[in-house]
Amino acid sequence: GYGRSRTYDFLRVARALPGLPGLERAFAEGRLSYEAVSLVTRVASAETELEWIELAGSRGPRALELEVRDAALKGRRRPRRKEEGLPRLAVRVAFALLPEEHDILEKALRKAAFEARERTGKERLEPKEALLELARSVLETEPQGSPEGAPQGSPGRKPREEPAYTVLYQRCPDCRKAHLPAPEGLVSIPGEVVDRVEGKARRVEITPEEEEQRAGGIDAPVSGPPKTHTASLRRKILLRDGLVCVNPGCRRRLGLHAHHLELRCEGGLTGLLYECAVCERCHAAVHAGRLRVEGDPTTGLRWIAASEEEPLDLSRELEALAAARELRVELPRGAESRDLDSQGGRTDADPLERRVTEALLRLGCARSEARERVGRAREALAASGASPAAGDLLKAALRQ
């Protein structure tokens, strides 16, 4: 019943595993999922399989997929070092257009390419370049009053003082390596890409002193008065966390707050090491006690929903079941000896089963369903070794 692509993937993995004993063992022991094994067998060799197994165990499925795609494209058998971040791969964007919609898009791209010739110095732009120019134009300008001669309601555009978007690059001032935050992690970006925008970009520098990386860690005592929570500190916290809510189950980008990991009212400290970026919803959930966060931004945060910590206690339900009144089955006189064969029943059925089956029929069950319920109930009660009464059998049948 498997589809063609899944079938051939099974065959490909089956051929590869005998030559990758470490990977086969990790799969057999349940340390790696089949999806991870399927990815790793595309690029791993006997010499590099242990490196891929270690990487697969420390990366999420999407991050592992990106690493394998990059290795396959470049013909590498070894994974990249973890500190290099995620590979910079192209993202495919696809959507379907009707013919008249495609005609509008094609004309818009042609117009954007024509208007960008003077600024870019290119006589001809590819469709992708024209689309990016169109996107930048919308983001870097804003509507103004209708230009002279334009139809009513067709506003012109003027440059914005501040762009309507932020592309966040994180760069180490010492090694000059740059990364772009993404949902899967930090994506490695070539230095020349950042060099092109660094001159006109707004720079925010975070020093080691501001990070407060003390040997004692986050619980070490702090001397001096508490820091003031300034707008500058808040912005550094949001930028460090990638301008996104750091709750992995959320990842919203709007309405971000700087949240004290230990509440200020309970003595929580103010600083980069003691705060993280959260959206207003997650912030409210934390203060309402429905969400809890542990750890610190440098070693990793752990988010725990209150529902995960609520004990699964069935004692109340069991007490209520034990206190339930016994069900008594009252049938018309002579019903026990009635021949059910004329209604499709079994003439050799146990009298107790016939009584309970008749009760289920009166409750609205179909005859076949009633028989199945009674049969399963009888088997369940037989395991206890006790001879059930009609009420016990009916209860068990209703639970099936």
Side-chain angles (χ1 to χ4, degrees), residues 50-251:
L50 294 181
E51 298 175 40
W52 283 105
I53 292 171
E54 182 182 357
L55 182 73
S58 62
R59 292 286 182 93
R62 176 60 177 162
L64 179 62
E65 180 186 353
L66 294 175
E67 291 289 351
V68 169
R69 279 178 51 197
D70 182 70
L73 285 171
K74 297 175 181 176
R76 286 190 290 104
R77 289 293 182 180
R78 294 187 181 278
R80 301 173 319 128
R81 294 191 304 275
K82 191 175 180 179
E83 60 269 17
E84 293 180 2
L86 296 174
R88 180 175 175 249
L89 295 171
V91 179
R92 182 174 295 276
V93 179
F95 45 84
L97 297 174
L98 295 172
E100 61 273 20
E101 296 169 337
H102 181 264
D103 189 60
I104 293 172
L105 178 63
E106 196 173 43
K107 287 180 169 60
L109 294 179
R110 198 178 302 140
K111 184 174 185 291
F114 179 80
E115 293 175 354
R117 281 190 308 178
E118 184 176 345
R119 187 166 66 83
T120 61
K122 292 184 178 180
E123 188 64 28
R124 184 176 181 276
L125 293 183
E126 295 296 324
K128 184 183 82 169
E129 298 173 308
L131 181 61
L132 288 173
E133 288 296 326
L134 192 62
R136 290 192 188 98
S137 173
V138 172
L139 291 171
E140 295 174 359
T141 62
E142 59 185 357
Q144 62 179 353
S146 299
E148 188 176 349
Q152 188 68 26
S154 300
R157 303 189 71 83
K158 62 180 180 180
R160 292 175 57 95
E161 294 182 6
E162 294 287 339
Y165 69 101
T166 299
V167 178
L168 176 63
Y169 297 106
Q170 295 181 351
R171 176 172 245 181
C172 174
D174 298 325
C175 67
R176 306 294 291 170
K177 288 184 178 179
H179 296 90
L180 180 73
E184 298 83 15
L186 293 176
V187 177
S188 180
I189 300 295
E192 57 269 19
V193 173
V194 184
D195 291 337
R196 286 198 294 267
V197 300
E198 194 168 13
K200 58 182 180 180
R202 176 185 292 180
R203 294 184 50 162
V204 176
E205 186 173 350
I206 299 176
T207 64
E209 291 75 21
E210 288 178 298
E211 286 275 21
E212 302 227 18
Q213 301 290 351
R214 298 186 304 281
I218 193 169
D219 296 323
V222 178
S223 59
K227 291 186 175 181
T228 305
H229 200 280
T230 62
S232 172
L233 176 60
R234 174 186 173 276
R235 179 159 180 79
K236 288 183 179 182
I237 293 167
L238 301 189
L239 289 173
R240 180 204 60 196
D241 291 340
L243 295 176
V244 65
C245 177
V246 294
N247 179 3
C250 176
R251 312 299 291 177

Side-chain angles (χ1 to χ4, degrees), residues 299-328:
T299 59
L301 298 172
R302 180 168 176 257
W303 295 81
I304 306 165
S307 58
E308 296 178 26
E309 299 182 315
E310 292 178 357
L312 297 176
D313 187 6
L314 299 179
S315 58
R316 292 183 181 178
E317 287 77 3
L318 292 173
E319 290 173 4
L321 185 61
R325 296 172 60 186
E326 182 183 356
L327 290 175
R328 299 186 63 84

